[in-house]
């Protein structure tokens, strides 16, 4: 799976960087996804990068773009980067490395 689920704002949300959202992220940042991911992991991101990852992750999961923008403007912009960086990195990591499939569960008895 490439979807990350996390609390953001006032509720749990899904965040998915689909191929189209990655293309948009690359356009907005003028950076390929590999270099962008490397830059984020190395904490060499631009100030708006975190908000863009969160916004595009919400849109990629099916949220209307206007609602996604409103949530990001309210809960990601003008906040400490220590609050937004972990979420943005988790969203990127879900696309880069995948996430555990909750349908599989723990089979240990």
């Amino acid at each position: 799976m490439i979807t990350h689920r996390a609390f953001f704002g006032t509720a749990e949300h899904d965040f998915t960087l689909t191929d189209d959202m990655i293309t948009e992220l690359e356009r907005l940042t003028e950076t390929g996804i590999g270099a962008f991911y490397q830059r984020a992991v190395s904490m060499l991101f631009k100030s708006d990068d975190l908000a863009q990852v969160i916004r595009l992750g919400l849109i990629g999961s099916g949220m209307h773009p206007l609602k996604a923008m409103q949530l990001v403007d309210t809960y990601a912009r003008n906040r400490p980067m220590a609050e937004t960086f972990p979420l943005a990195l988790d969203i990127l990591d879900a696309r880069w490395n995948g996430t555990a499939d909750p349908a599989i569960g723990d089979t240990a008895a």
Side-chain angles (χ1 to χ4, degrees), residues 13-88:
H13 296 282
D14 288 334
F15 300 85
T16 307
L17 288 178
T18 62
D19 288 349
D20 290 340
M21 295 301 101
I22 287 175
T23 298
E24 179 66 359
L25 183 63
E26 291 174 330
R27 184 188 71 77
L28 290 169
T29 62
E30 298 179 347
T31 307
I33 189 62
F36 183 88
Y37 180 76
Q38 188 175 36
R39 193 171 79 195
V41 169
S42 300
M43 297 188 72
L44 299 173
F45 52 85
K46 295 180 181 176
S47 61
D48 194 48
D49 288 351
L50 304 178
Q52 293 297 350
V53 168
I54 295 167
R55 183 180 70 83
L56 293 172
L58 289 166
I59 295 168
S61 291
M63 185 177 285
H64 189 278
L66 181 59
K67 182 174 180 184
M69 184 178 67
Q70 290 170 335
L71 278 174
V72 167
D73 285 348
T74 303
Y75 297 106
R77 297 195 191 279
N78 297 309
R79 301 294 310 152
M81 289 181 192
E83 290 179 9
T84 55
F85 177 70
L87 176 57

